[in-house]
Amino acid sequence: MSAAQVVGLGLCTPVGTSAHMTLASLRAGLVRFAETEVLDAVAEPVRASRLSLLDASLSRTERMVALARQALAGILPLMDALPPGRVPLYLGLPEAGLGPQVEQEALVAALLAQTAGRLEIVQVHAAGRAAFFEALASAQKDLHSGRAGGLALVGAADSLADSASLEAHVGARLHLGRPNPDGRIPGEAAGFVALARPGALKPLKLESSGVLLGTSLAVEPKPFAQSRPSLAEGLTEALRALRQDAATGTRRMDAVFACQPGDAFWATEFTRAYLRNAALMPEPLRIHVAGEGLGDAGAGAGPVMLGMALHRARWRHAGARRTLVYGSSDSGRIGACVVEMIRSAKVET
């Protein structure tokens, strides 16, 4: 399958309302972890990673709409420069379970309205931290077959920082606090990645910042949500597929970026899958976890981590060119991809 080219990136997170601001803040190690109005079982405020520009009273869907619209604004200049016609959108959203149900129709309608009919929704993947990777796989397949034309937009959004979601974390004893020292900090994020077929770069006058070498999907039979000991079979399968792929497994990765929160469950999952796929992994191992800077951004972590994978090397690791990015949902859906930074691409400073 021909490698899709990454030609655009728009992000909105608690540490930045644009891709440039978000990546610069994460590079500097900035976080926005703060106490909220929601109290836990011992009457202590629940901490969350929230975009402070949004009112705390907004619902989950309202926060996601605001985040997604701001992230999409970063892609609009690219879309405005394209010839007339609709751009297919593949969207990743939260999985059912923790937190209020997301109003998908309202979110999609807001995105379509913002682009004045330029976007055409193709598929929605409600798979939590794996959703962005499922959307990537769908877009990559359609670009290769020609169904998506020359360019496709892949996005994801999530918020676990609204009051109702925070209360759900307290009820499930998942939040980080005195009653649960191995908990997570709820977060939120949205992002959009523009992908193009290699042959479309010159006709559309696009510049590539990286190459999506491949994606893989899997399902964990004993996921976090079932509270059973996991052998990391799903993540092992996803990594093995990449290791055995001629395009992605030809050499070791230079870094690993995980879309996970900081719970010990996810560290154990990765360690078990890592040991079975050591030939794919960096040596020495370098891994960056989304929870360190964003908290648990759910489905929204995927585009942020892919953005970091394409730009982080230019800041600190000149030799880091090929990165494994993966996400594992609470319900067991798993996605992973390999992206390679293009040496000559220009980046804002």
Side-chain angles (χ1 to χ4, degrees):
M1 181 179 293
S2 300
Q5 308 288 310
V6 180
V7 296
L9 176 68
L11 301 175
C12 183
T13 69
V15 297
T17 54
S18 69
H20 175 63
M21 291 173 61
T22 291
L23 297 177
S25 296
L26 292 174
R27 172 185 66 180
L30 300 182
V31 297
R32 289 290 184 267
F33 301 158
E35 294 181 345
T36 69
E37 71 284 357
V38 176
L39 303 181
D40 64 14
V42 294
E44 292 184 349
V46 176
R47 283 174 291 171
S49 179
R50 276 176 167 173
L51 179 59
S52 58
L53 296 175
L54 299 181
D55 193 285
S57 65
L58 293 180
S59 69
R60 184 182 194 182
T61 298
E62 290 170 336
R63 298 187 74 87
M64 288 173 59
V65 167
L67 290 161
R69 285 176 60 90
Q70 181 62 30
L72 186 58
I75 297 289
L76 291 182
L78 181 149
M79 294 181 59
D80 291 341
L82 295 175
R86 291 190 175 184
V87 176
L89 171 62
Y90 303 78
L91 189 61
L93 294 178
E95 59 190 330
L98 191 67
Q101 184 175 353
V102 176
E103 299 171 25
Q104 289 191 17
E105 292 185 2
L107 175 59
V108 170
L111 297 179
L112 297 180
Q114 185 178 2
T115 58
R118 288 299 304 274
L119 283 180
E120 178 184 11
I121 188 74
V122 176
Q123 196 165 359
V124 174
H125 300 269
R129 298 182 206 97
F132 177 69
F133 302 93
E134 294 187 1
L136 273 181
S138 296
Q140 188 179 25
K141 179 180 178 181
D142 287 353
L143 283 170
H144 178 70
S145 67
R147 180 171 180 256
L151 186 119
L153 200 60
V154 183
D158 201 348
S159 177
L160 293 163
D162 63 285
S163 296
S165 292
L166 296 179
E167 291 169 357
H169 276 76
V170 172
R173 299 188 64 182
L174 288 177
H175 71 291
L176 178 65
R178 190 150 53 96
N180 184 20
D182 185 36
R184 60 185 67 166
I185 295 178
E188 56 189 6
F192 292 88
V193 175
L195 297 178
R197 287 190 293 106
L201 293 180
K202 188 174 181 179
L204 296 178
K205 298 180 181 180
L206 299 171
E207 181 180 356
S208 175
S209 62
V211 182
L212 177 63
L213 295 178
T215 55
S216 65
L217 307 174
V219 177
E220 170 56 50
K222 297 178 180 178
F224 178 89
Q226 293 187 12
S227 301
R228 293 188 295 167
S230 170
L231 297 177
E233 298 170 64
L235 184 56
T236 296
E237 178 185 342
L239 299 185
R240 182 181 293 121
L242 292 175
R243 180 165 55 87
Q244 295 175 345
D245 187 284
T248 58
T250 53
R251 65 175 176 84
R252 290 182 182 272
M253 299 295 104
D254 296 302
V256 178
F257 282 36
C259 299
Q260 306 310 111
D263 317 28
F265 177 93
W266 309 113
T268 301
E269 178 187 59
F270 175 75
T271 299
R272 289 173 172 163
Y274 159 77
L275 292 173
R276 298 168 187 149
N277 292 279
L280 183 70
M281 298 298 169
E283 186 60 48
L285 178 64
R286 291 197 296 266
I287 180 168
H288 184 92
V289 180
E292 295 173 355
L294 297 174
D296 183 9
V304 179
M305 301 308 281
L306 187 143
M308 288 187 65
L310 293 179
H311 299 292
R312 183 180 175 87
R314 297 184 178 88
W315 299 328
R316 296 178 180 174
H317 306 296
R321 300 288 171 183
R322 184 173 292 193
T323 306
L324 167 68
V325 187
Y326 82 91
S328 181
S329 71
D330 285 1
S331 65
R333 305 268 281 276
I334 293 173
C337 71
V338 173
V339 291
E340 187 168 74
M341 183 183 63
I342 292 179
R343 186 182 299 270
S344 61
K346 297 178 182 179
V347 180
E348 294 180 346
T349 58

